[in-house]
Amino acid sequence: MSAISVLILTKNEEQDLPECLKSVAWSDDVHILDSMSTDKTSEIATNFGANVTLRAFDGYASQRNYGLQLPFKHQWLMILDADERITPSLASELREFAKSALDNVAGARMRRRDIWWGRWLKHAQISPFYVRLVRVGRAHYEREINEVLVVDGDIADLTQPFVHYPFSKGLDHWISKHNTYSRMEAEVVAKGLFIKPDWRTALFGSDFGERRVHQKAIFYGLPARPLIKLMYMLIVRRAFLDGWPGVRYAILQAIYEYFIVLKTKEMQATKGV
């Protein structure tokens, strides 16, 4: 067994959870933080030998921060969603990293591979790098939408990726989820709650998460954002190289951005923001 605990956040994940749990069977300390599921999520987790904690969902960052305070057995924690999988090669790298990491290192960043219609969205995926392995007690989340993980210490980079199936529950589920996200994003824009952007940090910041926050704040101020996002994904990132899945994903992302624009205008018009 490894010296790594695992935290999986769930809400009605009976479809995806079994394969996720199988991918972390190498850990002897798996925790499920469940947002009061109404399906068989808790039963499945218990049958796999995982520790289940129930908590009503009250926000993305707050829910994740609660999860970080659970009684973990080990000093290192791997954080996952139910539609994500740890590959055997990454599991091996994680175990070796946990054994040799210096005390100043409090987190590890790894690449996520988004899969749609059996195709890796290598070019279309906008944010491919994530900090998912942290020392217990030395990390917390900030910002409720597109939450950012803040780590107290240095962050190392791992070579092996983990896998994500964002459309595992179908296109309707993805659209519904991003309909909620777009409302939350619009509230941030309409109320001016985003940080004052710094171009230097956005372009050259050493921390990927911090760069993304400043890039997002700059992006909020641009005109024709949906079109810019579509052109960025298709031309700059060359999403077309991922075939039709990449092109369709780029279009979906542009539509999502358009939802944010429209909802922001609606909020400003109806609330006098």
Side-chain angles (χ1 to χ4, degrees):
M1 288 298 183
S2 72
I4 300 174
S5 298
V6 175
L7 171 64
I8 305 171
L9 287 92
T10 59
K11 172 67 175 181
N12 293 334
E13 293 289 358
E14 64 179 8
Q15 173 183 311
D16 287 336
L17 187 57
E19 291 303 316
C20 181
L21 288 170
K22 289 177 185 178
S23 78
V24 296
W26 43 266
S27 174
D28 63 349
D29 187 43
V30 177
H31 290 256
I32 303 296
L33 177 56
D34 184 67
S35 300
M36 312 303 288
S37 291
T38 56
D39 64 1
K40 296 181 179 180
T41 294
S42 294
E43 179 183 340
I44 291 171
T46 301
N47 290 339
F48 270 88
N51 304 287
V52 179
T53 300
L54 302 178
R55 182 178 187 266
F57 181 84
D58 63 352
Y60 291 99
S62 55
Q63 190 78 346
R64 290 185 180 277
N65 281 330
Y66 183 91
L68 293 178
Q69 300 173 37
L70 293 176
F72 299 111
K73 181 178 179 179
H74 304 298
Q75 67 169 328
W76 284 100
L77 175 66
M78 183 70 196
I79 306 166
L80 287 174
D81 291 331
D83 58 0
E84 296 172 337
R85 313 282 183 266
I86 299 297
T87 63
S89 56
L90 176 57
S92 178
E93 185 176 19
L94 289 170
R95 290 193 292 267
E96 291 302 316
F97 175 81
K99 292 178 184 178
S100 60
L102 299 177
D103 290 341
N104 62 296
V105 177
R109 183 188 295 110
M110 57 209 76
R111 181 163 192 151
R112 190 179 77 181
R113 290 187 174 181
D114 286 358
I115 308 295
W116 193 21
W117 273 320
R119 187 75 176 258
W120 172 24
L121 301 177
K122 181 178 181 180
H123 302 276
Q125 189 175 352
I126 296 176
S127 302
F129 297 100
Y130 294 83
V131 177
R132 288 301 188 86
L133 183 69
V134 298
R135 286 190 191 269
V136 174
R138 293 178 62 180
H140 70 278
Y141 286 91
E142 297 179 353
R143 197 172 186 264
E144 279 305 323
I145 179 66
N146 291 328
E147 60 276 7
V148 176
L149 181 60
V150 179
V151 177
D152 179 19
D154 294 337
I155 297 174
D157 288 300
L158 302 184
T159 61
Q160 298 300 315
F162 65 106
V163 182
H164 178 220
Y165 297 93
F167 296 92
S168 61
K169 299 180 184 65
L171 188 58
D172 280 350
H173 181 269
W174 188 95
I175 292 173
S176 176
K177 182 171 65 175
H178 282 74
N179 186 42
T180 299
Y181 289 167
S182 64
R183 174 183 54 78
M184 297 177 72
E185 289 267 23
E187 289 175 349
V188 170
V189 180
K191 297 177 181 179
L193 299 179
F194 52 88
I195 66 169
K196 182 179 180 181
D198 179 83
W199 281 89
R200 182 179 297 276
T201 302
L203 296 175
F204 307 111
S206 58
D207 181 79
F208 177 79
E210 188 178 25
R211 287 203 310 273
R212 285 288 300 155
V213 170
H214 284 269
Q215 289 169 1
K216 195 75 174 179
I218 292 171
F219 189 53
Y220 282 148
L222 297 179
R225 294 204 319 268
L227 180 59
I228 291 173
K229 192 168 189 177
L230 180 62
M231 293 299 100
Y232 170 73
M233 293 187 67
L234 288 178
I235 299 175
V236 178
R237 296 196 64 86
R238 298 180 298 171
F240 62 88
L241 293 178
D242 298 326
W244 279 113
V247 173
R248 290 164 180 155
Y249 186 68
I251 294 171
L252 281 177
Q253 285 291 334
I255 293 172
Y256 168 61
E257 200 64 43
Y258 191 47
F259 283 168
I260 298 173
V261 171
L262 291 179
K263 291 180 182 183
T264 300
K265 291 182 180 297
E266 182 180 60
M267 289 176 186
Q268 292 172 335
T270 59
K271 298 180 181 180
V273 177

